[in-house]
Amino acid sequence: MSCAAIVSLLMLTSFFPSNEASASGISVSAPFAVGSRSLLRSIADATVDKPDYAVELNATNFDSVFKETSAAYAIVEFFAHWCPACRNYKPQYEKIARIFNGADAVHPGIIIVTRVDCAFKINTNLCDKFSVGHYPMLLWGPPSKFVSGSWDPEQEKSEIRSIDDGRTAELLLNWINKQLSSSYRLDDEKYVNDQLQKNASDFGQIAHAIYDIEEATFNAFEIILDHKMIKSDTRASLVKFFQLLAVHHPSRRCRKGTAEILVDFNDFSVNKKATASIGEKGEFRNYQICGNNVPHGHWIFCRGSKSETRGFSCGLWLLLHALSVRVDDGESQMAFTTICDFVHNFFICEECRLHFYSMCSSVSSPFKKARDFVLWLWDAHNKVNKRLMKEEPSLGTADPEFPKIMWPPKQLCPSCYLSGSEKNDGYSLIDWDQDEVYRFLIGYYGKSLVTQFKDKELLVERQADRMVAEDLLASRHAAVVPVGAAVGIAVGSCAFGALACYWRQRQKDRKYKYHLHSLKNI
């Protein structure tokens, strides 16, 4: 670049700071874009300034970011870029954002830390809705309450609250710790020994695992697409697994995303040769199995003390257990064969796949009760733990903070043990009370797993999801699955026949309207 060009560029940047350029439509910031930095500094030394950790929001992305975040809580800072107090406060706020936001977050998936610049006209109405009367102003609440929401300081019983004591990073973090009964510190570092599961006697920690299950679901889907594993001979197996997820996945947005994929799944294989891969990644490009902005690498419950331990394998086990405790008696055998076939066809770790399928093949009679399937999966997981307890220490691959144990430990379920002592090298010596184990698994992977959601919201979601799931089971996709599998899922609903007719009629109506619209456009 010539000297004259550089001078001209510097003159231009002196009149158009980066934030003003964005506001005027010169550029549009992404939801997680870096904060305001002059073009001069970006050109002079792009490595001098680090990206902002707080998420920049405006009126165009405010609702969508909060809809899709996996965080349980949100902080919004309303500020003005011309405000000296706001500029002085930014380094303090960034210290908090660093802990919870971004790929290098120390405690990801818990709080989303955001900011809105009220000095821009595009945000005027948004700031008015939240009664912004001074800068900087901090609001706290569940992300869902900010979506199409508002706040009035005179309003009583609002779940959105003003943070009045957050003038420094220390004060703000203390305020957060009081709300969450947590002990976060400004000097916390990633992969230090403060993992959620460190205290095995804390029953409530499993509630955080919902986000890890979402990430494991997303990762499994990505692996299938990346390795082009959807073949003509594996397609039916994947459809059955997706049907199971659409009905019983513990995450509402994963149920919804899987259902959307199922609705159009048949269309992906049109005009494909039998020997060709079905469903290339491009065909699924617009489908998000668990919605947008699913955290990647932000394991919470499944985070190990080292970056290479736990993570995806832990999340996948959580998913399977969560599915097992949600099926009914009539679905137990179908769920068992569906999971076994999925692992056999789509789990890319060869040794793990063979071990798991060997355990599946050892089952001699069909499951008639959901209880039997839940306990079989629990026993299979413990057999894997027992084998790894011997292998990992000698290979140096064990996580020192999370050694493999027989599950559940006595701290979590003392009533699960009848007699004898727990020995890490003697699984067969443990005298389990299987009735107590079953009750524990139902509570732990069922209700406790989703305690961050409100019971009222859960009830509404379950009713809606049940209708969607039943619709799907009566759809055309059931034709590619063995009849017994479709019937097994359908047993759970007494209204299946009526909903099946409703689904078929709705499909006919949709096609009729589409053709009618096409004719009008000819």
Side-chain angles (χ1 to χ4, degrees), residues 450-469:
V450 291
T451 51
Q452 291 194 30
F453 300 98
K454 291 186 176 180
D455 291 340
K456 183 177 180 180
E457 292 175 345
L458 265 180
L459 179 61
V460 173
E461 289 174 1
R462 283 171 179 165
Q463 291 172 343
D465 291 333
R466 173 63 69 176
M467 291 189 67
V468 172

Side-chain angles (χ1 to χ4, degrees), residues 410 417-423 429-432:
K410 285 185 176 179
Y417 294 75
L418 283 174
S419 61
S421 60
E422 179 182 355
K423 294 184 179 180
L429 298 180
I430 299 177
D431 194 2
W432 298 102

Side-chain angles (χ1 to χ4, degrees), residues 198-216:
K198 191 69 176 294
N199 183 3
S201 62
D202 189 347
F203 192 91
Q205 296 299 338
I206 188 64
H208 297 275
I210 189 70
Y211 305 120
D212 291 350
I213 292 177
E214 288 182 336
E215 183 166 359

